[in-house]
Amino acid sequence: MTETMNKPVTRAIMLQTLCAPCFNYCRYCLLSWNGQVLGADWKRSAAFAKRFYNWVRQSRPELKFDFSFGSSMEHPKLIEAIDFMNSIDSVMGKFLRLDGMKMRTDDELEALYSSLAAHGVQSVDFTFYGTEVYHDRFAARKGDYDLMIRSIRFALAAGIAVIADIPLTGDNIGMVDSLVDDLRKNGCTDIRFRIPHGEGRGDLIEPIRLKKREFDSLSDELKTRLNRSAFRTEGEWYALAESGELKTEVNRTLLISLTEENIERIEKMPFDELIAEVEALDETYYNAFPSFAELLKTYGDRDGERLFSYRDLFHFYRKRYALEHGVKVYDVTDERQSGSRRY
């Protein structure tokens, strides 16, 4: 165990039930989707969310509260769910990530996006792993790329803003120009790059994690689509720590995941006790490891050119430390279960 770190400030609560199936089996799924629905019943979860939301507004108004479902947005009563999200001011009433949806005809897509717009959805996000053949193979579903391209057109026609998200890897970097051209031809101009995480099945990405020299092969215009303050090389993170400019994570969002196994117990808990329980899980986990700066000194490669986010490199080092030191602790970064996100 390491010396107890300063406690971060809890800023938000994210309540979720993973009650909807995903129709993809993406290679590096954050939720390690295996075809099994993990979440508690939607109606029961929504009733709990309404009570929790009302309590937060009255007793903890400084907290941001959101409620969500997954593993995809393929809810059997999606419009009804969106209306409920808007009734409790949850972000999913306005913004949806629409990866892993079931196949639809053009007529079905037109009806879907018209309904989404009419019920308050303002923007949607799609993740593209590469050009068509590569993307479909990565997502493990033929036709997924075409479904999302058609979805972009119908969403824009309905007046919904579209974001295209491209996780960059050593595998797909040579496809980026063609992919961006295709997205632009279909009306999408808000195209954002990121470096994929190593959580869930993300450890499978490590052999193809993007290196700076690969990133530098992009045009200057495309390079601006990756936030290089958020995604740095291992060497750049190392230099930042040495300079004393490395910022620590002082805030946290608590994730409370409702399942068929835990919902009865959670329903009976006072809300303040539930929050305190998840905060304790967060603190026990992080206190089991050295700080990010300390791990950088131990494991960091000052010349390393692989690109990471702060959170992802910290996670990468913690996995290595846990393996070397036999650390066994409840994993608050596993987003299938209750935990936290520090920032």
Side-chain angles (χ1 to χ4, degrees), residues 15 43-55 65-68 84-85 88 90 258 271:
L15 181 72
K43 287 187 177 180
R44 187 173 179 180
S45 299
F48 178 76
K50 183 70 171 180
R51 290 197 296 114
F52 203 169
Y53 165 75
N54 288 335
W55 178 86
F65 179 86
D66 278 302
F67 176 51
S68 69
F84 176 73
M85 296 298 187
I88 60 171
S90 283
L258 300 175
F271 293 117

Side-chain angles (χ1 to χ4, degrees), residues 16-20 36-42 45 70 257-260:
Q16 72 172 9
T17 174
L18 299 177
C19 65
Q36 301 297 313
V37 174
L38 302 175
D41 173 75
W42 163 256
S45 299
S257 190
L258 300 175
T259 69
E260 292 297 337

Side-chain angles (χ1 to χ4, degrees), residues 183-198:
L183 290 168
R184 286 171 170 162
K185 286 175 185 175
N186 285 282
C188 181
T189 57
D190 190 350
I191 301 167
R192 306 177 187 183
F193 297 162
R194 62 180 169 85
I195 304 300
H197 57 75

